[in-house]
Amino acid sequence: MSQLSVAMKRSDPPIDLDHGRDLFATPGPSVIPDRVLAAMHRGAPNIYEGELVEMTTTVIEDLKRLVGTSGHVAIYIGNGHAVWEASIANILAPGDRALFLASGPFGHGWAYTAARLGVQVEVIDSGFRQPPDVDAVARHLETDVERQIKAVVTVQTDTGSSSRTDVASLRRAIDDVGHPALLAVDSIASLGCEPMHMEDWGVDVLIAACQKGLMTPPGVAFTFHGERADSLRVACPSPYWDWDPRISPRAYYQLFCGTAPTHHLYGLRTALDMLLYEEGLENAWRRHEVFARAIWAAIEAWGSVGDLVLNVENPANRSHAVTTVRTGPGDATRLRNWCADSGLTLGVGLTTKDEDPDSIFRIGHMGHLNPPMVLGVLGTIDAGLTALSIPKGDGAVEAASAVIANA
């Protein structure tokens, strides 16, 4: 190296490399396909008749196909917290008992919403690093000899911890003890990313939203319910949350308790076309599994030296949509900040009270993703670990590449 090159290397300021398209690896909102954005880029449509009304019918039918139900779907202008409340308002009255299963902050969040609405909340907390214990649920239900617990409520994927609940096993555990409780499931982080067979698995109430596996900007959320939930409904105190006009409307506007979310519907229609009719749902599930395994392989390679470790130890209990990573004290926040300055946004640590959010980051791998995007995320993280002198093992990107190549 020449003396001039050495001098330049020592005195030049750091190079700003972030001049391309930023990459998002947050567990929602997920990457929005250009086609979805283009579908939404239009003037206001007629909200009384014609194309929008006809298209909404197809959206409703395909949402039911997506979750595997012949039951009902209600569409709300809102986010996941909105449909937490909507579901509770239709199946639980003040004073009713319900059992909530918490494997991270989102299980606790749904329970808190129910408690604010007057429900007698009972919580089985499995901690931050594993899904609900179905045997513990069965034992708890056996103590309810008068069968007063009206619903068992859980999340399929807790977006904070990245633990995944075995929904089918949970339903079997409820049935095996002969308990009549409804099963309500939050699939906000998992829908479109991993299997959901609502009717086959015996899920009575399901909630979801558009901004994760469904690849549409935040703003629309859904509740699905079947015959058992319909027969056990309570008088909903809110005209906005009430299922009745939304599932049996006399006029189009009643589907939304007012003006329709017009442009979200156009975007959602395109996203459903891409997911159901172009890629195919089975392939989408397999794709998400491959990307999840690639990311786990990278983290395991990094973790051969230093403190990085997958939050959920058992692969069978890990989400295919988001991965939570534990670091040394404060390293997660340092790494996220470095990555953000380089054009990559990672998920912040969303934790329960016993966990340090500055020592946890999350990689969202849901929705509109391909190998260059996944490997780009991992390569950038690898560079950040090196730049910050955070101890790590070698070969992480190679390990992830091998998983993708062998798929």
Side-chain angles (χ1 to χ4, degrees):
M1 183 181 293
S2 69
Q3 290 184 341
L4 177 61
S5 298
V6 172
M8 290 177 63
K9 185 176 181 182
R10 289 175 177 168
S11 61
D12 283 357
I15 301 171
D16 179 6
L17 301 176
D18 182 19
H19 289 279
R21 174 177 288 188
D22 287 351
L23 189 56
F24 286 82
T26 60
S30 64
V31 175
I32 304 168
D34 289 342
R35 284 178 54 193
V36 171
L37 293 172
M40 299 176 72
H41 189 70
R42 63 178 69 212
N46 186 338
I47 61 171
Y48 305 106
E49 59 185 4
E51 178 189 66
L52 179 68
V53 176
E54 295 165 2
M55 184 186 70
T56 302
T57 300
T58 71
V59 167
I60 289 171
E61 290 306 310
D62 280 341
L63 285 170
K64 293 193 288 185
R65 178 184 174 195
L66 182 68
V67 306
T69 185
S70 56
H72 303 290
V73 57
I75 304 175
Y76 294 89
I77 301 173
N79 56 19
H81 290 71
V83 284
W84 277 352
E85 189 163 332
S87 60
I88 292 163
N90 283 278
I91 63 171
L92 296 169
D96 282 347
R97 291 173 60 190
L99 177 61
F100 285 77
L101 312 181
S103 55
F106 288 85
H108 286 291
W110 203 356
Y112 171 78
T113 300
R116 287 289 303 268
L117 294 175
V119 176
Q120 293 187 49
V121 167
E122 302 167 26
V123 177
I124 296 179
D125 187 350
S126 58
F128 189 71
R129 306 193 66 179
Q130 58 189 4
D133 181 345
V134 296
D135 292 332
V137 174
R139 290 193 297 271
H140 189 94
L141 292 176
E142 284 180 323
T143 67
D144 180 27
V145 293
E146 296 182 2
R147 300 301 192 245
Q148 293 183 343
I149 293 174
K150 190 171 180 183
V152 175
V153 185
T154 192
V155 296
Q156 184 177 23
T157 284
D158 191 290
T159 325
S161 67
S162 74
S163 71
R164 178 177 61 173
T165 300
D166 185 338
V167 175
S169 292
L170 179 58
R171 176 78 263 179
R172 287 194 297 271
I174 298 169
D175 293 343
D176 286 347
V177 297
H179 201 287
L182 296 171
L183 176 58
V185 176
D186 172 337
S187 68
I188 292 169
S190 51
L191 191 61
C193 305
E194 48 193 305
M196 168 51 64
H197 304 287
M198 184 176 171
E199 285 185 3
D200 290 347
W201 289 354
V203 177
D204 299 298
V205 178
L206 186 74
I207 68 170
C210 70
Q211 75 270 20
K212 301 200 179 198
L214 300 191
M215 309 177 288
T216 304
V220 172
F222 323 98
T223 65
F224 304 83
H225 67 278
E227 291 182 5
R228 290 190 70 236
D230 223 15
S231 66
L232 296 173
R233 284 168 57 191
V234 300
C236 181
S238 161
Y240 191 79
W241 301 133
D242 191 4
W243 280 342
D244 267 337
R246 291 176 182 268
I247 65 175
S248 302
R250 296 187 303 275
Y252 179 73
Y253 78 90
Q254 290 182 308
L255 285 168
F256 311 101
C257 198
T259 305
T262 53
H263 290 63
H264 274 83
L265 290 170
Y266 282 110
L268 185 59
R269 176 65 272 164
T270 298
L272 289 169
D273 287 343
M274 295 172 67
L275 185 59
L276 293 175
Y277 299 109
E278 296 173 18
E279 179 178 13
L281 195 52
E282 295 275 352
N283 191 82
W285 294 339
R286 291 195 298 268
R287 175 170 57 87
H288 281 85
E289 180 184 1
V290 169
F291 290 158
R293 289 192 290 106
I295 288 166
W296 303 342
I299 295 163
E300 287 167 350
W302 285 324
S304 64
V305 176
D307 296 322
L308 265 71
V309 65
L310 288 153
N311 183 58
V312 178
E313 183 177 3
N314 185 344
N317 296 336
R318 296 177 195 154
S319 168
H320 290 169
V322 55
T323 295
T324 300
V325 185
R326 306 172 74 86
T327 71
D331 285 345
T333 294
R334 294 173 59 220
L335 179 64
R336 282 193 303 98
N337 290 339
W338 189 95
C339 289
D341 289 341
S342 302
L344 168 64
T345 303
L346 297 170
V348 301
L350 292 180
T351 63
T352 51
K353 62 181 180 180
D354 297 327
E355 300 288 343
D356 174 18
D358 289 323
S359 303
I360 289 175
F361 70 93
R362 296 172 301 146
I363 303 172
H365 36 94
M366 52 179 63
H368 190 57
L369 293 178
N370 60 19
M373 298 166 77
V374 172
L375 294 173
V377 167
L378 296 174
T380 304
I381 293 173
D382 192 76
L385 293 169
T386 300
L388 297 171
S389 299
I390 297 173
K392 66 178 179 68
D394 295 329
V397 178
E398 292 83 355
S401 299
V403 172
I404 292 172
N406 290 330

